[in-house]
Amino acid sequence: MNYSMFDEIDYFTNLSNMNDTDNNQFDESLFSPYEGYIRGNLFKNLYDGYKNFRPQRINIQNEREEMLLNIGQLSFVRHELNLLLDNYPNNQNALMLFNRYREKELEEVEKYERKYGPINITSSSITSIPFAWASDKWPWEG
C-alpha cells in the first residue's frame, strides 16, 4: 500500500472528527491487537508491508509465554492509541479504547505477577524481602 503524507493526515483527521455513532468505522480501521502486534502497526490504513514479507504467527510454548504475549499485545495497542491521542486528544473513541486496553493490560500484568513475579520495576509485588526483582527468574529464563 502506498500513501502520501496527505493521505495520512486525512486519515487521522477523519479519526479525530468521529463521534459516538462512528464506533464501527473506527473499530474497522484497526487491526486486532494480535494482528497489529505482529505487524507493528495498529492502523490498517497506515500498514505498509515490506516487500513480500509476511508476518509470522507467534509460536507459544507454555502458559507463561501466552501471558507475556497477551501483555505485549495490550501494551502495544495502548501505546499506539496513546500516540493517536497525543495528536487528537478529543477523539472519544480512541480514548474509550485506550482506557479499555489500559485496564485490561493492568489486569493481565497483575495476573502474571501473582503467578511468576514482577514484570517491571514499578510492580507492587516487589515490596518484600528478598527483593523479588533480583531473586526471581526473568521472563526469558523460563
Side-chain angles (χ1 to χ4, degrees), residues 44-126:
K44 290 179 182 179
N45 293 14
L46 299 179
Y47 177 70
D48 190 13
Y50 179 74
K51 296 186 180 183
N52 63 355
F53 173 77
R54 298 214 188 275
Q56 297 295 306
R57 297 282 173 202
I58 298 172
N59 186 15
I60 299 168
Q61 301 294 318
N62 54 47
E63 180 187 38
R64 188 176 193 177
E65 288 181 8
E66 182 178 5
M67 292 174 87
L68 286 171
L69 175 61
N70 290 340
I71 292 167
Q73 292 173 69
L74 294 166
S75 175
F76 171 78
V77 170
R78 179 200 32 85
H79 183 71
E80 289 277 281
L81 291 169
N82 183 181
L83 293 173
L84 175 68
L85 287 164
D86 285 347
N87 290 293
Y88 301 99
N90 296 320
N91 186 318
Q92 290 181 332
N93 297 324
L95 182 59
M96 288 185 331
L97 276 178
F98 172 83
N99 284 322
R100 191 165 68 208
Y101 282 112
R102 185 178 57 83
E103 288 298 319
K104 186 66 176 159
E105 178 188 3
L106 291 172
E107 289 172 19
E108 292 297 314
V109 166
E110 186 178 311
K111 192 181 338 178
Y112 177 90
E113 289 181 341
R114 276 195 311 268
K115 189 158 189 161
Y116 297 107
I119 196 167
N120 61 47
I121 196 67
T122 60
S123 172
S124 61
S125 67
I126 58 173

Side-chain angles (χ1 to χ4, degrees), residues 11-39:
Y11 174 72
F12 282 115
T13 301
N14 290 338
L15 282 180
S16 68
N17 291 331
M18 287 184 194
N19 58 41
D20 290 335
T21 60
D22 296 322
N23 275 334
N24 290 340
Q25 183 182 353
F26 182 75
D27 290 344
E28 290 171 5
S29 67
L30 304 177
F31 284 116
S32 70
Y34 180 78
E35 292 297 318
Y37 186 69
I38 64 174
R39 284 177 167 75

